[in-house]
Every structure is written in structure tokens, then in C-alpha cells.
Amino acid sequence: MTDASAPSYATDWLAMPDLVEALGEPLGRVRRLIDERHLIGSTRTGVFAVPSVFLVDGAPLSSLRGTVNVLQDAGFSADEVIDWLLEEEESIGVAPIEALLRGRKSEVRRVAQTLA
């Protein structure tokens, strides 16, 4: 991603064919994971893509869904959710996605709830 508004957390972006391969699931199942907020993506580069950091061991990061729900219920767009997850959050000390990967789900959601 070369856009100037690109988040600071370094990650590859997976288009739908890449997601199908990475998840080992058919396209319909991948779309359902997105519809049910297990994954979230963006079309900011012209093609719908999901940050690869949202996948762990060939599956969506389990703590991602609840965090996405909190942020979207607060009125965040998909792009805003992704940006928040990938940008360093001062109150957490790291990017929220990094904290989620380290098992700090409660802390991340507590901060996300204050944004509502």
C-alpha cells in the first residue's frame, strides 16, 4: 500500500483470491467471514483487500471480531477501523492489532469503547 494515508503498522494486504488461498476456504465462506465481521477489509487501493496481520495460523484472529464490532457500533467506517487497529495508540503503547496479537484483548476493547 503506497497511499499517504496508509496505516503505520507494516502488513501485506490480501485480495480475495489471496484470502481464499490463505484461509483454505471457498470464496463463499470467505465472504461470510467478512459479512460476519470476523475479518474487515478496504477498497482504498481499488481492490478489496484485508490486512494479512488479521490472519493467524490460517484463520481470522479470534479477538478481531469483537473489537471490530465495538468500533463499527461506535460509527467507525471499515477504513477507520483498519486505520485505528494499525496505528499506534498512545494509551496502549503499541498499535491495537499488536496488542490483540499479544493477547491484550480486554485492554484494546476498553480503549475502543471510550471512542464511542
Side-chain angles (χ1 to χ4, degrees):
M1 180 178 263
T2 58
D3 184 0
S5 66
S8 63
Y9 190 91
T11 184
D12 292 328
W13 289 71
L14 304 172
M16 289 303 275
D18 303 318
L19 275 173
V20 167
E21 183 178 334
L23 293 167
E25 298 283 354
L27 180 60
R29 172 75 178 131
V30 173
R31 288 183 192 272
R32 194 165 37 258
L33 289 170
I34 293 163
D35 290 344
E36 295 174 356
R37 298 181 181 176
H38 291 279
L39 289 171
I40 189 166
S42 172
T43 57
R44 71 177 91 199
T45 61
V47 176
F48 182 84
V50 172
S52 63
V53 71
F54 292 174
L55 301 180
V56 176
D57 297 327
L61 175 64
S62 62
S63 57
L64 184 65
R65 183 178 191 220
T67 306
V68 168
N69 285 337
V70 168
L71 292 167
Q72 287 193 321
D73 289 350
F76 279 52
S77 69
D79 284 339
E80 290 169 332
V81 169
I82 293 167
D83 289 348
W84 186 80
L85 287 166
L86 299 179
E87 288 291 333
E88 184 170 335
E89 172 60 44
E90 185 177 314
S91 60
I92 299 173
V94 295
I97 190 63
E98 189 171 337
L100 289 175
L101 290 167
R102 293 179 183 177
R104 295 164 51 192
K105 171 177 72 173
S106 297
E107 179 182 5
V108 171
R109 291 196 187 153
R110 189 170 36 255
V111 173
Q113 287 173 338
T114 67
L115 303 174

